[in-house]
Amino acid sequence: MGIDCSLPATAYGLIKRLKQSGLYDFFEDIFDSQSIEFQKPSKQFFDYVMSHITDFNKKEALIIGDSLNTDIKGGQVETLTESHSTFNRKGESSGYRS
């Protein structure tokens, strides 16, 4: 399983939160747009990520994102299942759409 962050600084914070929650070991890799030099929702970005996840299968993939213009649009372009989720400043879910 892989995960994407828009910026390296965001990735470092995410890694910390994943470790604290006990979820870190479920992810094979963490990708950030700056390091791989492609931005979501470009096809190149998703092609890169998919090619770097062992045994990647589109039918088993799920894109979860908070941006309709990058996360969800990219998932739609690649014909992946996507889920839109938003959170308020307290980290509480304020809604989702799949």
Side-chain angles (χ1 to χ4, degrees):
M1 187 174 351
I3 193 166
D4 156 63
C5 294
S6 298
L7 300 170
T10 306
Y12 298 128
L14 179 61
I15 290 169
K16 181 180 177 182
R17 289 191 306 269
L18 288 171
K19 286 181 177 180
Q20 290 172 338
S21 68
L23 295 173
Y24 181 78
D25 291 335
F26 289 98
F27 295 92
E28 179 179 327
D29 209 340
I30 296 177
F31 304 93
D32 67 84
S33 300
Q34 188 174 20
S35 294
I36 64 174
E37 300 180 359
F38 298 112
Q39 299 290 319
K40 295 177 288 182
S42 75
K43 180 170 176 33
Q44 295 93 334
F45 173 85
F46 285 93
D47 286 347
Y48 178 93
V49 171
M50 291 185 292
S51 71
H52 285 80
I53 296 176
T54 306
D55 300 324
F56 183 84
N57 182 340
K58 282 187 175 187
K59 293 180 181 179
E60 296 176 355
L62 172 64
I63 301 289
I64 301 171
D66 61 352
S67 171
L68 291 172
N69 294 325
T70 57
D71 306 323
I72 305 308
K73 183 177 179 182
Q76 291 170 340
V77 167
E78 290 296 332
T79 63
L80 301 168
T81 302
E82 68 279 334
S83 177
H84 179 232
S85 182
T86 57
F87 296 87
N88 63 25
R89 291 181 185 254
K90 294 180 184 177
E92 299 164 337
S93 177
S94 60
Y96 71 93
R97 173 179 101 27
S98 61

